[in-house]
Each structure stands twice: as C-alpha cells, then as structure tokens.
Amino acid sequence: MRSAPTILHLDMDAFYASAEQAAKPSLRGKAVVVGGLGPRGVVATASYEARRFGVHSAMPMGQARRLAPNAAYLVPRFGLYRAISEQVMGLLRELSPLVEPLSLDEAFVDLEAGGVADDEASARAVGERLRADIRAVTGLTGSVGLAASKMLAKIASEEAKPDGLRLIAPGTERALLGPMSVRTLPGVGPATGDHLRRAGITTVEEIAEAGEDELVRLLGKAHGGSLYAMALALDERPVVAERESKSVSVEDTYDVDIHDRVRIRGEVARLADRCVQRLRAAGHSGRTIVLKVRRFDFSTLTRSETLRGPTDDPGVVREAAARLLESVD
C-alpha cells in the first residue's frame, strides 16, 4: 500500500443524462431517463432529478415510466457520449501516463506515475483542478475519489457523489470500511452477499473479525482470501494503462417475446456471426462459448461450452451456440 493518496478515481455524474442536458438546454433541471424505449427497454442512466422519483440504472423502462411519467425519455446517443469521453480521458492523460479507463465515464489515474502528486495536499489540489477542467471543457460534473489504493479510491468517489471530491487519508482506511456493508467490496454481488449474511457477516468489519480461514471455508481459497485482504484495506492492484480483453459479447433485447424455436435458432446464429466479427476485429480467438437467454419474467438462463482449442471460425461458434440452445427449454 502507498503512503499517500495518489490513486485517483473519476466517475462522471449521471453521464448519459447529463450529456443530454448539456446538449439540450430545455432539459436542464428536468428529469431525464436514457435507455431502451421499447417494452423491454432498460434504464441506462437517470438524471439526479429523475432519481428523486426512485428511477435508477438497470431498472425496466416500464417501471421507470410509472415512477416518473413526466420525465424526458431518450434513446442513447453513443457518438455524443464517446466524443465527450475522449475529452475527459484527454484531461486525465495530461496528468499521468497511467490511465485505466473502466468505461466511457469512469477511470483510474496513477498521479504518482505522472509526477503531479506525492502527498495529501498535492493530490487534493490535482483532484480539484481536474473537476474544474472537466466542467470548463465539457460543461459536465464528475466526482473524484483519492486514496492509496484502487478499491478505496472508487469507494471515495462514490461517497463524493454528486459533483464532489473525497480523499481517504492513509491510516484511516480500516475505520472507514468497518461499518460499511459487505456489498461495498469489489466482487461481492447479491449471491456472495447473501451467502455471507447467512453466515452472520453483514459488515466489512465482520469479515475482518471472521478471519481468513473462515472466509476461505465459506467462499473458496481465491475469493475468500482476496475478500479478507480487502476487508483489511489491502489492495495492491496497479493502475494499468492497457487492459487485455477477456471476452467479446453481443446481445439483443426484443420488444415482443420470441417463442418459435426456428426463429430463435436464426437469431442465435446471427448473434454468433456478429460476435465472431468483433472477435476477429480485435485480433482474438476464444475457447468458451456462452449463451444467455432472458425469459419473459426477466429471469436469465446461462449455458456454456468450452472447446478443445481456441477458434475464430463462425461455423464452429454457430454450431456450439446451437447445441447450447438445445439445452434451454
């Protein structure tokens, strides 16, 4: 762990919705929801005005419309968002050669590697200057977290939202994390959270008190060991400028349920071809084929098959996807 909070995490505030509000003055101060507008659409981003009505990302669009019937509902304009993201990422790269983008609106920056910060005061000054520069260049706001590790910097930026800066001073991490929910830690989703809750563990401090052996017993060696280290505020992951892709995927959501198996086979074959095109464009091949099917009630079925060797042959991928489809009722 570092001795100074020189890892910065930037998270733009309600990015897609804020970009639309900046582009269209008539939307400023109003509830804006961006996402798929069809019956099966899902909210991608909701402005803070819309969040007051209970609308949030990943919510079915139909539910959002019931909660905020007078909001502006917009389809995403990714060309606009990418252009703004490039401006923001350019500002980050002026600070350091080590910038790790996580998405269009989120990134880690190693300030120490850029020689722009080496203590709390200089890190805070850089963070405040960055927020001002982003507002000046894009008209949007971003929240900044500063800490001695990636995990804590991300937690800090979440606590800083919206339009704020939070610095976690080295030495205060354990006290800060202790009362937080286990879901705060990276890698703890609903399933792991429920598993820990059944074992009587609901806070980060209770993870630390349980001990590494108990965590390994509950979650396995790799997951249990890493979770215990994070509960102790130990996170040595470096900021990596270029992250290698681990997977390539495509998916479609249909406005009307598809029941006909012949048509479903055709859709799966079409998706397989699109996926292979992306795979080849990235210069990769793959071994494991995964098929995800979402049902009428939004429950999801997942099937996978690992091939003997890597492939970028569309015929092979289509055949594997067809076999996986046959295992879905």
Side-chain angles (χ1 to χ4, degrees):
M1 290 283 290
R2 302 183 179 199
S3 58
T6 53
I7 293 181
L8 180 149
H9 180 258
L10 171 72
D11 195 355
M12 299 295 289
D13 299 322
F15 182 52
Y16 297 170
S18 295
E20 296 292 350
Q21 289 175 319
K24 301 174 184 176
S26 61
L27 296 176
R28 292 173 190 173
K30 296 182 179 179
V32 175
V33 181
V34 179
L37 302 187
R40 293 297 172 76
V42 174
V43 175
T45 307
S47 70
Y48 285 96
E49 294 86 353
R51 295 182 192 190
R52 296 191 189 107
F53 296 97
V55 181
H56 58 78
S57 60
M59 172 183 284
M61 193 62 81
Q63 184 180 354
R65 288 184 184 276
R66 289 190 294 272
L67 292 171
N70 297 319
Y73 288 87
L74 307 173
V75 295
R77 295 194 291 164
F78 289 108
L80 170 66
Y81 311 148
R82 275 192 288 270
I84 297 173
S85 175
E86 287 172 4
Q87 292 178 308
V88 173
M89 296 300 165
L91 292 173
L92 298 183
R93 292 188 179 98
E94 290 177 6
L95 300 177
S96 173
L98 292 184
V99 175
E100 182 177 338
L102 304 180
S103 62
L104 289 176
D105 62 338
E106 185 181 2
F108 287 110
V109 185
D110 188 333
L111 302 180
E112 188 176 295
V116 294
D118 57 8
D119 59 14
E120 291 182 31
S122 57
R124 185 182 295 276
V126 169
E128 293 290 10
R129 187 170 68 249
L130 172 65
R131 292 177 59 238
D133 289 345
I134 288 172
R135 186 188 291 271
V137 170
T138 69
L140 306 183
T141 64
S143 295
V144 167
L146 292 157
S149 70
K150 291 169 72 172
M151 176 187 73
L152 289 160
K154 186 172 175 62
I155 290 172
S157 69
E158 186 64 32
E159 291 202 330
K161 283 189 166 294
D163 189 19
L165 180 147
R166 174 73 194 275
L167 183 148
I168 299 176
T172 67
E173 298 96 343
R174 288 286 301 276
L176 173 76
L177 286 174
M180 290 184 173
S181 165
V182 296
R183 292 289 303 276
T184 304
L185 299 180
V188 181
T192 301
D194 287 344
H195 194 48
L196 291 170
R197 180 179 51 78
R198 288 193 295 270
I201 299 173
T202 60
T203 68
V204 175
E205 183 59 34
E206 287 169 346
I207 290 178
E209 291 173 349
E212 185 172 10
D213 290 345
E214 177 64 7
L215 267 293
V216 168
R217 186 186 70 80
L218 289 171
L219 303 174
K221 186 173 182 179
H223 196 188
S226 66
L227 204 59
Y228 178 70
M230 286 188 289
L232 299 180
L234 302 176
D235 177 19
E236 300 291 348
R237 293 174 301 160
V239 176
V240 181
E242 297 294 335
R243 297 192 304 158
E244 184 179 356
S245 297
K246 298 295 181 65
S247 65
V248 174
S249 65
V250 295
E251 64 177 61
D252 276 338
T253 300
Y254 302 93
D255 289 344
V256 178
D257 287 343
I258 301 176
H259 300 285
D260 180 72
R261 186 165 282 272
V262 173
R263 185 181 168 196
I264 293 173
R265 287 195 195 101
E267 291 295 322
V268 169
R270 183 178 61 82
L271 289 169
D273 287 344
R274 281 174 53 196
C275 191
V276 170
Q277 288 174 4
R278 287 191 181 183
L279 192 70
R280 286 181 167 179
H284 294 310
S285 58
R287 286 188 63 203
T288 301
I289 316 297
V290 180
L291 178 71
K292 182 177 74 173
V293 178
R294 180 157 290 156
R295 293 162 49 84
F296 67 94
D297 60 357
F298 279 84
S299 61
T300 302
L301 303 175
T302 303
R303 302 288 185 270
S304 66
E305 176 181 326
T306 299
L307 308 174
R308 291 183 179 179
T311 186
D312 65 354
D313 185 329
V316 172
V317 176
R318 280 197 301 268
E319 290 175 9
R323 288 193 297 272
L324 294 172
L325 180 61
E326 292 305 312
S327 68
V328 175
D329 182 3

